[in-house]
Amino acid sequence: MNLTSVISGQIANLFQKRGEIEPPELVKALEREIVRQKKTVDGVHVVPNDYTIFLSDDDCHRLSAARVLKALYEAVERKTIRENCFMDGTLKVRIEKISEGDAAIVVESKYVDDADLKEDTIDLENDVLSKTLLENGDITNSATIIADKTKITASMKTSTRKISYHIAVITDSETSEIVLGESQVYLGRRETNDFVLNDEGASRIHAYISYERHRHVLRDAGSLNGTFVNKKPVTRCDLRHGDKILIGSTTLIYKVL
């Protein structure tokens, strides 16, 4: 990265000289970068999906914790919605060391196409395999190494825990609420819904909320009485902070955390 080009003209936004840096300061730096870098594409605002925060050696070691990175990820998602923007591709947020400056924050963002991302895999066709992986387990003078590619790749796979992100909530006047992340959520009278509505005006499966382009999207599920957002009937709606959803006689409020 060319630090000179990043710093030039961006001192106020990218560098903050101070004592020990805390997570809230990283969140503010990310939020400023989102606002600074958003652009209009096909009539909608779009923000970058790849963010790197450069910190001093000490701050980098202290703040490179899973809980901090999760909070930063959630902060980007929430700010994207609050700014009524969209994001394409997979969101990445990372913290790395910077060589210049003590107690400084440098934020670099970019738009990355998922198609350009390379998986962290081993190419068994070209990589050198251990000489213990021989046919029949016999060590010979043969230069050919034969291995079961399927078994090897299967043994290399590790299970990854799905992180549950908290981005927004849907709440009603009775203080019932459900936290929204990136999973699809169903609303209606049926007991198996994620958000059960005790309302005769609601259909069994009335509506659902999906996560698309890093926004919560409300869709009517072919309900009998329809779904309304801010008193307007909708079949599809990109939700914004403070939107009021009317299902039957129940009003739900969408709030970004």
Side-chain angles (χ1 to χ4, degrees):
M1 180 185 70
N2 188 335
L3 284 177
T4 302
S5 63
V6 172
I7 296 170
S8 178
Q10 306 298 338
I11 298 296
N13 285 332
L14 300 183
F15 278 86
Q16 303 171 6
K17 295 290 185 180
R18 48 171 62 86
E20 195 173 75
I21 292 171
E22 296 298 335
E25 297 172 88
L26 302 185
V27 170
K28 291 179 180 178
L30 275 174
E31 290 178 339
R32 284 194 296 271
E33 182 71 3
I34 290 170
V35 174
R36 187 177 70 86
Q37 290 287 9
K38 71 178 180 181
K39 61 184 181 180
T40 302
V41 179
D42 297 329
V44 299
H45 296 305
V46 181
V47 298
N49 64 318
D50 189 287
Y51 297 85
T52 304
I53 303 174
F54 294 92
L55 301 173
S56 65
D57 194 2
D58 290 343
D59 286 328
C60 183
H61 283 293
R62 185 170 54 84
L63 295 171
S64 293
R67 61 178 180 81
V68 175
L69 291 171
K70 178 178 182 291
L72 295 176
Y73 184 103
E74 290 172 334
V76 174
E77 298 280 30
R78 294 167 185 170
K79 186 64 173 177
T80 298
I81 299 171
R82 285 183 178 275
E83 292 292 319
N84 194 28
C85 295
F86 296 85
M87 183 192 303
D88 294 312
T90 303
L91 171 60
K92 299 288 185 182
V93 181
R94 64 185 69 83
I95 296 176
E96 295 184 6
K97 290 187 292 186
I98 189 173
S99 57
E100 282 85 352
D102 295 325
I105 301 175
V106 180
V107 180
E108 182 185 70
S109 64
K110 54 188 176 181
Y111 295 82
V112 178
D113 189 338
D114 281 356
D116 296 333
L117 297 177
K118 294 182 179 180
E119 293 186 15
D120 186 16
T121 58
I122 298 175
D123 184 355
L124 291 175
E125 300 295 339
N126 299 315
D127 292 349
V128 176
L129 297 177
S130 167
K131 288 187 178 294
T132 60
L133 299 174
L134 301 176
E135 185 177 23
N136 300 323
D138 296 329
I139 299 177
T140 67
N141 294 324
S142 171
T144 302
I145 299 175
I146 303 174
D148 188 326
K149 181 177 178 180
T150 303
K151 290 182 180 179
I152 295 172
T153 53
S155 67
M156 282 190 260
K157 292 180 180 178
T158 57
S159 59
T160 56
R161 183 172 61 87
K162 178 70 175 177
I163 299 175
S164 178
Y165 294 107
H166 297 171
I167 301 169
V169 296
I170 291 287
T171 183
D172 63 19
S173 58
E174 298 178 353
T175 68
S176 297
E177 71 174 32
I178 182 171
V179 177
L180 302 178
E182 300 175 334
S183 300
Q184 192 156 289
V185 170
Y186 289 88
L187 305 89
R189 284 190 295 109
R190 196 167 73 176
E191 291 296 325
T192 53
N193 285 311
D194 301 286
F195 195 104
V196 180
L197 299 170
N198 185 19
D199 188 327
E200 290 300 321
S203 298
R204 296 181 69 228
I205 301 179
H206 195 102
Y208 63 94
I209 298 172
S210 57
Y211 202 61
E212 304 171 25
R213 299 186 73 189
H214 300 265
R215 292 289 297 272
H216 289 118
V217 180
L218 173 69
R219 282 187 169 85
D220 183 82
S223 65
L224 180 63
N225 295 319
T227 302
F228 299 79
V229 175
N230 301 327
K231 299 183 179 180
K232 296 181 179 179
V234 299
T235 55
R236 181 193 186 282
C237 179
D238 298 312
L239 293 173
R240 300 182 65 175
H241 177 68
D243 277 348
K244 294 182 178 180
I245 304 165
L246 180 64
I247 294 177
S249 60
T250 302
T251 298
L252 306 174
I253 302 176
Y254 173 79
K255 298 178 180 179
V256 179
L257 294 171

